[in-house]
Amino acid sequence: MAIRQIREEGDPILRKKSREIEKIDDKILELLDDMYDTLKNSEDGVGLAAPQVGILKRAIVVDLSEEGGEGPYKLINPKIIKAKGEQICREGCLSVPGVLGDVIRPSEVVVEALNEKGEEVKIKAKDILAVVLCHEIDHLDGILFIDKATEFYDADEENNK
Ligand code: ZN
């Protein structure tokens, strides 16, 4: 178990496309555990993608359990196979500190992935879980929420409201 350093905007690795994981070996399991520890160690983080810790592999962790929601999920090669509806959510990102932005996302998605055991899982998500999954999967393609946001806010000002 280890906390890894979170890469921030401006680091070119965040703009690269991550590769599919072909074999779930000890290195991948360690990566997922470390990503989970890194997420839990962060302030207010609910999701983390491997490129955010400098690894260009298609792995994400999502945990809304502290917010009364679902998780934790550790997902390998996640893919959105269905999306419908629209919602606007105020998003932030551990790689873009201090900034929040309103992003239009699907209101419901179905995500297909492998779990740590290599089993296929299908997650039907709506509301915040749908947003977080879309946000994290975007990271695997080098996309940040600031590319999609329509309005920006200062995170400190928002938190003091
Ligand atoms: Zn992010």
Side-chain angles (χ1 to χ4, degrees):
M1 125 164 200
I3 310 290
R4 300 203 188 188
Q5 193 207 329
I6 296 178
R7 306 297 183 96
E8 293 187 357
E9 201 218 343
D11 189 322
I13 207 154
L14 291 172
R15 293 307 190 171
K16 294 194 171 141
K17 208 171 149 73
S18 293
R19 287 178 297 272
E20 293 258 322
I21 293 169
E22 277 160 28
K23 189 166 166 260
I24 303 169
D25 55 16
D26 287 348
K27 234 180 140 183
I28 296 295
L29 295 176
E30 192 188 340
L31 170 66
L32 286 165
D33 284 346
D34 287 356
M35 285 168 63
Y36 179 74
D37 292 338
T38 306
L39 178 63
K40 290 286 103 180
N41 185 55
S42 72
E43 213 178 305
D44 307 325
V46 289
L48 192 71
Q52 292 182 276
V53 294
I55 307 289
L56 289 171
K57 290 190 192 304
R58 301 188 82 84
I60 63 171
V61 295
V62 170
D63 189 7
L64 291 167
S65 59
E66 277 175 36
E67 283 70 29
E70 300 93 333
Y73 294 107
K74 294 177 182 173
L75 302 176
I76 294 159
N77 301 335
K79 221 189 293 174
I80 296 166
I81 56 165
K82 263 186 213 165
K84 71 172 186 187
E86 238 179 48
Q87 61 176 324
I88 297 179
C89 190
R90 192 153 301 174
E91 296 183 23
C93 179
L94 294 172
S95 294
V96 192
V99 179
L100 300 176
D102 289 341
V103 185
I104 299 169
R105 300 283 190 186
S107 53
E108 287 178 48
V109 292
V110 179
V111 170
E112 207 171 66
L114 298 177
N115 66 15
E116 291 169 280
K117 294 175 199 151
E119 299 160 343
E120 249 180 49
V121 291
K122 230 179 230 183
I123 300 165
K124 282 187 190 164
K126 54 182 184 174
D127 305 326
I128 299 174
L129 182 60
V131 172
V132 180
L133 287 167
C134 290
H135 177 119
E136 301 311 329
I137 292 169
D138 270 353
H139 273 299
L140 304 180
D141 294 315
I143 299 164
L144 299 177
F145 83 99
I146 47 173
D147 305 343
K148 295 183 168 177
T150 51
E151 298 279 344
F152 292 95
Y153 307 89
D154 184 303
D156 293 328
E157 273 172 35
E158 288 294 296
N159 291 336
N160 291 333
K161 261 185 195 164

